[in-house]
Amino acid sequence: MAKDKKQIQIDLSTYAQHEQDCGSSSYQVAKLSKEIQHLTGHCTTHKKDKSAIRGLVQKVNDRKKLLKYLHRVDFPLFQKLIKELNIRYRISS
């Protein structure tokens, strides 16, 4: 794992709406955040791994789309996720 300053452990079960949930927006954002954290550590040590960098960028873009959807549909859940997962989100027009 990367020696990141703000690395947090993400428990995916807290973001699931029910026991077998894997499709809700909050769960997907938490799962993508966990994968982004892992890939960030990998990409810092393996700078020439272009496929991993491409995958990281794709996951960041997917999470950004989900956050944009949550911002529009369920703003309190959006704020909760941003705060708990330490995600920087800049609203773009």
Side-chain angles (χ1 to χ4, degrees):
M1 285 274 179
K3 294 176 173 106
D4 218 2
K5 294 180 225 168
K6 293 185 179 181
Q7 187 159 23
I8 54 173
Q9 295 297 325
I10 299 171
D11 183 24
L12 295 177
S13 62
T14 58
Y15 299 101
Q17 294 178 354
H18 51 83
E19 189 175 309
Q20 296 179 341
D21 183 19
C22 62
S24 67
S25 300
S26 58
Y27 182 84
Q28 287 182 16
V29 168
K31 184 177 178 204
L32 284 170
S33 295
K34 188 173 187 174
E35 292 171 358
I36 288 169
Q37 221 174 34
H38 173 72
L39 276 175
T40 302
H42 174 79
C43 290
T44 55
T45 55
H46 305 283
K47 295 185 188 316
K48 294 189 177 185
D49 190 355
K50 301 300 181 188
S51 61
I53 293 169
R54 183 185 182 281
L56 174 64
V57 170
Q58 184 64 44
K59 287 182 189 302
V60 169
N61 287 333
D62 289 344
R63 184 178 71 176
K64 184 178 177 183
K65 288 178 192 174
L66 282 169
L67 286 171
K68 186 175 180 180
Y69 167 77
L70 278 174
H71 184 270
R72 191 176 67 241
V73 174
D74 191 2
F75 191 70
L77 179 61
F78 167 79
Q79 286 182 320
K80 177 185 168 202
L81 283 173
I82 294 294
K83 186 179 288 185
E84 289 179 3
L85 298 175
N86 283 338
I87 298 173
R88 290 178 293 160
Y89 183 76
R90 187 178 62 180
I91 300 169
S92 60
S93 49

